[in-house]
Amino acid sequence: MREMNSEIYPAEGGEASRSGEATVPAAATPAPGSSDPVHVLDPACGLEDWLAARGQPAWRAKAIRRWLCAGRAATFADMTDLSKDLRAALEARFRIFSTRIARHVRAEDGTEKLLLELADGQRIECVLLREHAREASEAGGGQRLTVCISSQVGCGMGCVFCASGLDGVIRNLTTGEILEQLLRLQKLLPATERISHIVVMGMGEPLANLDRLLPALATAQDADGLGISQRRITISTVGLPKAIDRLSAENPGYHLAVSLHAAEDKLRTRLVPVNKAIGLAEVMAAADRYWEASGRRLTFEYVLLGGVNDAPEDAARLAALLGRRAALVNVIPYNAVAGLPWREPSKGAQARFLDVLRSAGVNVQVRRRKGARIDAACGQLRRLESAAAGSTAADASPRDP
Ligand code: SAH
């Protein structure tokens, strides 16, 4: 289960320091000189040099990437404007997909979720959300097809209520693995439909893996890639000031969402342990600098946990913290995670919380739950699967009647 609107929410990121510089291992990169097939979606795969060594023109690599992204090619054999010999040689040297679909679930509302098994056996989740036109006024009235992708295996931020970080961070995803989630989800769509929005709100802390995330998002924007404008890409962060500043300096065009969950340090540190070393004042100051650099309205996320941070006083504190900022608050009623003590807020508490914010003039929206039947909250399906595989399936089932 999980709340989703045009986005999904999952877990958190890696063992990132407050600077956002991850100390987690990078992922599988092919050993130099190895004859194992290498992941063609990884920028370090050596495709350009490999082609040059075969006397191929430099633009060929771009054409192959266009086949993979815009052309939705599943095999090199599909690349019909390449010679048969070249296609066979590509097939022998490179592989297009490094992941295997371990599970594919579809909810009644059209939400689809993939559990992907990576080459090293780790599992990640990604989700396709279909929104109707009436929900998509800001997308120009058309249907909004949003994908939610993961940035790490597990998460090191330790947010106490989140399923993704329960076992900490295992590793960063590679650029190819991030891109592959987009291609796998795109393949769920008929040829006439395209992904319109990306939210990096799956498993992991994206700002702890910027070096690999940013090239993947650059390909997503490229006309030969997926052609998705930067303004339709949201990066959600627990709030790592140095990494936010890096984004402000290098890439302020993304839509930034900052997960707050509390408007005072004591409670925030209890819910979001990395806050201890950072503090709300620094998170807000970095968010303000991003806003100055981008000129775009910021989003603040606030997961409502029943009886914990959902009192009218909490809402009043949040309104005071936001002050006159041009911000949108996404209130996310908690999706209960099996085995964790946190619970959903009552309907009454939700209504009171929203009332206080709205009467203080805060721009607020509640994330509707989508795909509730398929454990769409990133980190939950993965957990359910490993519980079922490792111990008894019964441990994992009560949440999803
Ligand atoms: N690490 C990033 C991105 C991944 S989490 C971040 O913290 O923003 C995306 C959002 O989902 C966060 O706001 C997170 O707090 C929220 N979330 C995690 N688990 C949830 C759950 N079980 N129910 C509701 N929201 C959840």
Side-chain angles (χ1 to χ4, degrees), residues 142-162:
Q143 193 191 22
R144 193 167 159 151
L145 292 164
T146 300
V147 296
C148 175
I149 56 171
S150 296
S151 54
Q152 299 182 309
V153 180
C155 183
M157 301 298 103
C159 299
V160 293
F161 51 84
C162 175

Side-chain angles (χ1 to χ4, degrees), residues 93-121:
R93 178 64 188 135
F94 298 97
R95 61 180 161 182
I96 296 178
F97 290 112
S98 69
T99 67
R100 171 182 86 77
I101 298 179
R103 199 166 154 198
H104 175 189
V105 276
R106 189 180 168 132
E108 273 165 26
D109 62 15
T111 301
E112 291 183 69
K113 182 161 191 167
L114 297 178
L115 182 68
L116 296 181
E117 185 168 302
L118 309 176
D120 61 0

Side-chain angles (χ1 to χ4, degrees), residues 2-3 9-13 161-162 200-202 204-206 236-238 259 261 301 303 332-335 337 380:
R2 126 63 64 181
E3 318 288 1
Y9 302 85
E12 281 69 57
F161 51 84
C162 175
V200 191
M201 292 188 180
E205 169 51 47
S236 175
T237 177
V238 73
S259 295
H261 315 322
E301 297 166 274
V303 173
I332 313 158
Y334 183 56
N335 274 320
V337 174
Q380 299 196 19

Side-chain angles (χ1 to χ4, degrees), residues 40 44 54 94 114 159 188 250 264 273 305 323 329 332 356 379 383:
V40 74
R54 273 153 194 82
F94 298 97
L114 297 178
C159 299
L188 303 178
E250 294 176 15
E264 47 98 3
L305 301 158
V329 174
I332 313 158
V356 173
R383 203 165 156 250

Side-chain angles (χ1 to χ4, degrees), residues 5-9 109-111 128-147 189 193-199 201 231-234 255 296-297 299 328 330 365 367 370:
N5 172 356
S6 63
E7 284 101 329
I8 282 204
Y9 302 85
D109 62 15
T111 301
L128 169 70
L129 296 146
R130 294 183 163 84
E131 294 178 295
H132 303 302
R134 69 184 159 74
E135 298 170 308
S137 47
E138 78 276 33
Q143 193 191 22
R144 193 167 159 151
L145 292 164
T146 300
V147 296
L189 297 172
E193 288 184 340
R194 299 178 43 191
I195 295 171
S196 65
H197 292 73
I198 298 174
V199 297
M201 292 188 180
R231 304 182 80 80
R232 292 183 168 196
I233 301 178
T234 299
H255 182 196
R296 303 196 60 196
R297 183 174 70 168
T299 295
L328 171 71
N330 270 331
Q365 75 176 22
R367 279 191 192 284
K370 283 202 175 181

